[in-house]
Amino acid sequence: MEHLAPFHGVLVNANLRRLQLAWAGSITAEWGYAVALSVFAYHAGGATAVGVLMAVRMLSSALVAPFSSVLGDRHNRARVMISTDLIRAAALAGAGVAALAGAPAIVIYALAVLVAVVSTAFHPAQAALTPSLASKPEELTAANAVSSTIESVGTFAGPALGGLLLAATSTGVVFIVMATLFLWSAFFVWRIRTDAAPVPTPAAGHPPFLHQASAGIRTIVKEPNVRVIVGVYGCQTLVAGALRVFIVVMAFQLLDTGFSTRRRESGAWSERWRRS
C-alpha cells in the first residue's frame, strides 16, 4: 500500500491524472514506433541503414532540444504539448500510409526524423506544467514518482506492443496505431483544466530566446561537475543507441527471423512459377 500511495495521490487530482495518461500514451508510442522503424530500415538497407537513421534522429534531436525545450516557458504549456502530439500523430500516420503504399524509404525516414525532433518539446513542457497542477507538495512528489514509473513501463510496453503488432500486421499498420496513441495523449492534455496564471510574454520579463535556449550549454561549459555528469550520461546514451542497432541485427541474423521470412517468400515465388 505504501508503494501504491503515489498513484492514489495522482488519481484524486483530475488534472494530474489526465497529464499522466497523456504521458503514458506519448512514451508508449515513442518506443513502439521505434521497433517498426528499425525493422523497416533493416529491410531497406541493412544494419547500415538502421545505424545511420538512428544517428540522424538523435543528432537532429540534440541540435533542436535546447530551443524546443524553452517553448513551454514562453508559451502555454498545454498547447505546446497538444501541438507536439498532433504534429507527431500526423507525421507518423503519414509514414504509415507511405509504408503501406510502397513509397521510397527516404520518405519514411524524413517523417521519422520529424517525429524525433518534435518530440523534444513534449517532456520539458510536461515537467514545467506538473507543479502548476499539484495543489500541495505531496501531490507533486506523487506525480513525479508516477511519471518515472510510467516512463519505465512505457519503455517496455511500447516495444512489446510494437513487436506484437509487427508480427501480426505490417510496418505501416504499426505506425498508424502508434499515431493514435499520440492522439490519445493530445486528448488528455486538452482535457486538463487549470486556473494557473498565463505564461508571461517576453515583454513582461523573458530573456531573449537564444540567450534562454543556450543557458544549459553555458552552464555545462562553466561548471566542471556538470560537465562530468553530462559526459557520463552521454556515454550511457551512446551505448544505448548502439545497443538498439545491435538488437535489430541480432533479431534477424542470430535468431534467423529473417531466414524464415525469406524462405516463405521463396516458396511462394516457386509455387507461382510452377503454376504458370
Side-chain angles (χ1 to χ4, degrees):
M1 294 301 295
E2 183 179 355
H3 290 298
L4 293 177
F7 287 90
H8 179 266
V10 170
L11 289 175
V12 296
N13 185 318
N15 284 328
L16 286 178
R17 182 175 67 248
R18 292 161 183 158
L19 184 66
Q20 298 303 330
L21 288 171
W23 173 231
S26 174
I27 192 65
T28 301
E30 284 185 22
W31 283 92
Y33 91 88
V35 171
L37 180 63
S38 299
V39 172
F40 177 86
Y42 186 86
H43 281 306
T48 301
V50 178
V52 171
L53 177 60
M54 293 299 176
V56 172
R57 291 176 68 238
M58 294 301 104
L59 289 175
S60 301
S61 299
L63 293 174
V64 174
F67 305 98
S68 62
S69 61
V70 302
L71 292 177
D73 289 332
R74 305 178 71 90
H75 303 282
N76 183 285
R77 289 154 185 164
R79 291 177 183 174
V80 170
M81 296 172 67
I82 292 173
S83 300
T84 300
D85 279 330
L86 293 179
I87 294 173
R88 292 189 295 181
L92 202 54
V97 173
L100 292 174
I106 190 64
V107 175
I108 288 84
Y109 296 162
L111 291 171
V113 171
L114 175 61
V115 173
V117 168
V118 172
S119 295
T120 58
F122 185 90
H123 192 49
Q126 174 204 354
L129 179 63
T130 302
S132 66
L133 302 181
S135 58
K136 50 188 178 180
E138 291 79 8
E139 286 186 351
L140 179 58
T141 302
N144 290 331
V146 172
S147 178
S148 298
T149 301
I150 290 175
E151 183 174 7
S152 299
V153 174
T155 57
F156 167 79
L161 177 60
L164 291 173
L165 287 173
L166 189 60
T169 57
S170 65
T171 302
V173 173
V174 177
F175 287 160
I176 294 174
V177 171
M178 296 305 160
T180 62
L181 289 180
F182 284 133
L183 293 178
W184 158 291
S185 177
F187 170 76
F188 280 106
V189 176
W190 174 73
R191 291 269 296 156
I192 292 175
R193 300 291 181 265
T194 176
D195 297 327
V199 178
T201 62
H206 268 314
F209 181 78
L210 291 179
H211 181 81
Q212 187 178 9
S214 61
I217 298 175
R218 293 197 305 272
T219 302
I220 295 172
V221 173
K222 293 179 181 179
E223 298 293 337
N225 292 333
V226 176
R227 287 202 301 270
V228 172
I229 294 174
V230 173
V232 172
Y233 185 74
C235 293
Q236 176 189 348
T237 306
L238 178 65
V239 174
L243 182 61
R244 292 176 66 177
V245 177
F246 295 152
I247 288 175
V248 177
V249 176
M250 287 188 293
F252 283 99
Q253 295 185 359
L254 299 184
L255 301 180
D256 288 334
T257 55
F259 174 77
S260 62
T261 301
R262 289 192 300 270
R263 185 172 58 183
R264 289 195 301 270
E265 292 175 350
S266 177
W269 183 89
S270 299
E271 180 63 18
R272 289 195 299 269
W273 181 86
R274 185 184 63 83
R275 290 180 179 178
S276 64

